[in-house]
Amino acid sequence: MPRGADIVAKSLADHGVSCIFTVSGNHVMPVFDALLSTDIKLIHARHEAACVHMADAWGRLTGKPGIALVTGGQGHSNAVAALYTALAAESPVVLLSGHAGLHELGQGAFQEMLQADLARPVAKASWTAATTVGLGDDITKALKLALSGRPGPVHVSLPVDLLDATISDAELKTPTVPSTHEAAPAATIATIRSHVAAASRPLMICGPQMCNERGHALMSRVSNATGVPVLGMESPRGVNDPGLGSFAEILGDADLIVLIGKPLDFTLKFGGAPIASACKWIVVDPDKALIARARAVLKDRLLLAENADAEAMLKRLTASQLDVSPHQAWRKNVEAAISYRPASWRSVKSEADGHLHPVEMCRVISDFVEKQPNAVFVGDGGEIGQWAQALVNADRRVVNGVAGTIGAALPFAIAAKVAYPDAPVIAVMGDGTFGFHMAEFDTAVRYNLPIIAVVGNDARWNAEYQIQLRNYGEARAKHCELLPSRYDLVVEALGGFGALVRHVDELPAAIERARQSGKPACINVMIEGVPAPVVRR
């Protein structure tokens, strides 16, 4: 007779789950046992938040839900902290947490906690399973919700008594996941086409859901079909994202902005300057609450608001029969602004002996990635993350995203290597970032996942230090210092490859030695602590 844990394992396998990121604990050991009867691979990490970050990267890169499995109590609360990053990144994640037995609740059960309540503010949905026979439906519902509408994280707590309980074979169900993308209304498509054709300088902006390899390809097809510039936004720097070049300067020229799955929020200055007050808007979003928020802000500037799936809308727009010629010059101007990088970046050098300027470091990394067409780039950190995102281009990339979280780079890189074992994975992070999950190098070593982490080491929390300088002055820039630690030696001690770089001509060879080592690698690059770029022409 199958246990509840067997139902969970079989449901995950039936839905095509091939990998789970996990940290073990009392309440989920029945699931560990049940998974032995499936082909699902487990990656056993060192911290529950890292599990969720791994599942987040998996979801973004593959388009399939990333699964994190943790225990109850603090195992769950550790994991919940990372859900916020996945929520802001619109990443399909399912967090499965062990839970105290239902029959013990209210009696001081081991690790008893209102787990679903804790996860609810940072998830699309959060609940506690109620019956053993319904566990399969719980898994199906969670997978569907993670992918439907605006993708995002979903949490389900699994009480251990339900996992241990058995049911008869006759009670077993074979759940199915229906389609998650509803077709966009034909009338909406026609109206959007009409407004786009009437505008002089229209612009389409998509949210983080489209900021992946598949999404960029789809946005490009829409741009070719409509003649309208189409871009995605996924940075907490918003219109000042260095990865978007001098986009902020040309944004003010737009006379129509079409948001497709992109929230009107701080990243777009809430619709204010530099966006012209006369600019008109169209909002297409799967979330009715976000449509209502945009309507309240934009008022009579809003031409159309439609509750619809963003990806389905984009796919319908690829079939548009529009005359693209009227917008060709505008499209070229926008693309030129986004691709613009200051000419001085090609020759900038550090002024500090034994340290690289971030541009020097990122130029070398960019050269490496350009020679590896299937490479995965991971970007994280405060100021150093912005330099990397501005200078390193890759079709496959994962960055910390709109949440502005730091610390996820190592888990992201590990998941990327699991998803694409034959692709080089290179992650750029700051020394502050490295400290969050450095123990995950042990995970990478145990599972033979040879990622390359390049740590820009300026011995400080530089993003916060720059805030202090700007807002309070140098005399009050205190308490953001770190040590110039040998993070490369930490990784060597964990069984990986380490290298210290103090001069730019050492970096290419260090990256090549890291690649040839076949080990998880840390290249500790001493850099100047300079502010992130603000790109202007």
Side-chain angles (χ1 to χ4, degrees):
M1 292 173 58
R3 300 165 296 172
D6 298 314
I7 296 172
V8 170
K10 185 177 185 301
S11 296
L12 291 168
D14 286 347
H15 288 312
V17 172
S18 60
C19 181
I20 293 175
F21 304 97
T22 186
V23 172
S24 57
N26 293 27
H27 291 139
V28 293
M29 298 323 294
V31 181
F32 267 58
D33 181 71
L35 287 168
L36 295 175
S37 299
T38 73
D39 293 327
I40 296 174
K41 181 177 183 178
L42 264 66
I43 301 295
H44 197 301
R46 298 297 301 270
H47 193 280
E48 290 87 357
C51 292
V52 174
H53 288 316
M54 292 175 189
D56 177 0
W58 179 277
R60 293 195 229 177
L61 288 167
T62 69
K64 300 176 182 178
I67 312 298
L69 173 67
V70 304
T71 196
Q74 189 163 344
H76 170 73
S77 61
N78 285 346
V80 165
L83 288 178
Y84 179 67
T85 302
L87 183 70
E90 302 176 3
S91 178
V93 169
V94 174
L95 171 61
L96 302 175
S97 301
H99 190 279
L102 293 180
H103 70 285
E104 296 179 343
L105 296 184
Q107 304 176 62
F110 176 56
Q111 294 183 338
E112 181 176 347
M113 181 190 291
L114 296 175
Q115 294 186 181
D117 290 354
L118 185 65
R120 194 165 289 116
V122 286
K124 291 182 65 177
S126 177
W127 70 91
T128 301
T131 66
T132 296
V133 71
L135 285 169
D137 288 336
D138 287 316
I139 298 298
T140 297
K141 178 182 175 183
L143 292 168
K144 176 187 176 183
L145 284 173
L147 286 170
S148 62
R150 171 174 279 103
V154 175
H155 162 254
V156 185
S157 274
L158 306 174
V160 67
D161 52 354
L162 301 186
L163 297 176
D164 282 331
T166 59
I167 63 172
S168 67
D169 291 333
E171 294 176 280
L172 276 177
K173 300 179 181 179
T174 305
T176 58
V177 176
S179 172
T180 58
H181 296 297
E182 299 295 332
T188 299
I189 298 293
T191 303
I192 291 175
R193 289 172 179 160
S194 175
H195 285 304
V196 165
S200 298
R201 296 173 301 281
L203 184 66
M204 294 185 188
I205 304 178
C206 301
Q209 177 189 359
M210 291 296 116
C211 294
N212 52 46
E213 186 178 15
R214 303 173 309 282
H216 282 295
L218 179 55
M219 288 189 290
S220 179
R221 294 200 299 273
V222 172
S223 186
N224 290 335
T226 62
V228 176
V230 184
L231 69 144
M233 296 181 68
E234 61 171 339
S235 169
R237 307 281 170 129
V239 298
N240 290 316
D241 173 10
L244 294 178
S246 61
F247 172 65
E249 291 184 328
I250 203 167
L251 177 59
D253 293 334
D255 61 354
L256 173 65
I257 296 177
V258 183
L259 300 183
I260 302 181
K262 171 70 183 82
L264 179 61
D265 58 13
F266 75 99
T267 63
L268 284 168
K269 303 293 186 181
F270 307 104
I275 300 168
S277 59
C279 180
K280 300 299 184 181
W281 297 74
I282 292 173
V283 175
V284 178
D285 202 280
D287 189 333
K288 292 181 180 179
L290 291 184
I291 290 177
R293 189 173 78 185
R295 183 176 283 114
V297 171
L298 298 172
K299 298 182 173 62
D300 59 356
R301 290 186 289 163
L302 185 64
L303 298 177
L304 171 69
E306 181 67 46
N307 180 222
D309 180 89
E311 184 175 344
M313 177 66 73
L314 289 171
K315 288 179 177 178
R316 290 287 297 272
L317 285 171
T318 61
S320 295
Q321 300 295 321
L322 293 176
D323 180 3
V324 300
S325 57
H327 300 131
Q328 282 184 349
W330 164 244
R331 179 182 174 187
K332 288 180 180 178
N333 287 341
V334 172
E335 291 173 347
I338 291 173
S339 63
Y340 173 78
R341 302 294 183 272
S344 60
W345 286 8
R346 293 193 289 270
S347 57
V348 67
K349 294 183 180 180
S350 173
E351 296 179 359
D353 186 46
H355 291 72
L356 282 67
H357 191 285
V359 168
E360 294 181 283
M361 186 185 87
C362 293
R363 282 202 309 257
V364 174
I365 295 167
S366 178
D367 289 343
F368 172 80
V369 170
E370 286 180 5
K371 295 173 184 175
Q372 311 286 338
N374 63 337
V376 182
F377 162 65
V378 175
D380 190 3
E383 306 302 273
I384 189 61
Q386 303 306 310
W387 285 107
Q389 291 172 45
L391 287 160
V392 182
N393 295 312
D395 290 334
R396 295 174 179 169
R397 81 169 201 168
V398 186
V399 299
N400 50 349
V402 176
T405 308
I406 70 168
L410 287 176
F412 281 173
I414 287 170
K417 193 64 178 177
V418 175
Y420 300 108
D422 298 326
V425 176
I426 189 162
V428 178
M429 67 196 74
D431 46 341
T433 287
F434 185 86
F436 279 88
H437 291 298
M438 67 174 75
E440 296 307 331
F441 264 105
D442 170 81
T443 304
V445 169
R446 280 185 287 116
Y447 290 97
N448 189 29
L449 300 169
I451 62 173
I452 300 174
V454 181
V455 180
N457 188 343
D458 56 15
R460 65 165 60 116
W461 299 95
N462 192 34
E464 291 69 30
Y465 176 74
Q466 297 299 330
I467 292 173
Q468 290 178 322
L469 290 181
R470 290 193 302 270
N471 294 350
Y472 314 117
E474 186 174 2
R476 303 185 69 81
K478 306 293 184 182
H479 308 302
C480 288
E481 301 84 6
L482 293 170
L483 295 173
S485 301
R486 291 292 302 275
Y487 300 116
D488 51 308
L489 297 182
V490 172
V491 172
E492 285 186 354
L494 290 170
F497 171 90
L500 176 67
V501 170
R502 291 187 177 276
H503 300 280
V504 67
D505 55 2
E506 300 168 351
L507 185 53
I511 292 176
E512 183 57 27
R513 293 203 317 275
R515 190 180 69 84
Q516 293 289 345
S517 75
K519 298 178 179 180
C522 172
I523 302 174
N524 189 18
V525 182
M526 306 309 297
I527 63 169
E528 286 187 82
V530 299
V534 176
V535 181
R536 296 289 185 267
R537 287 191 280 189

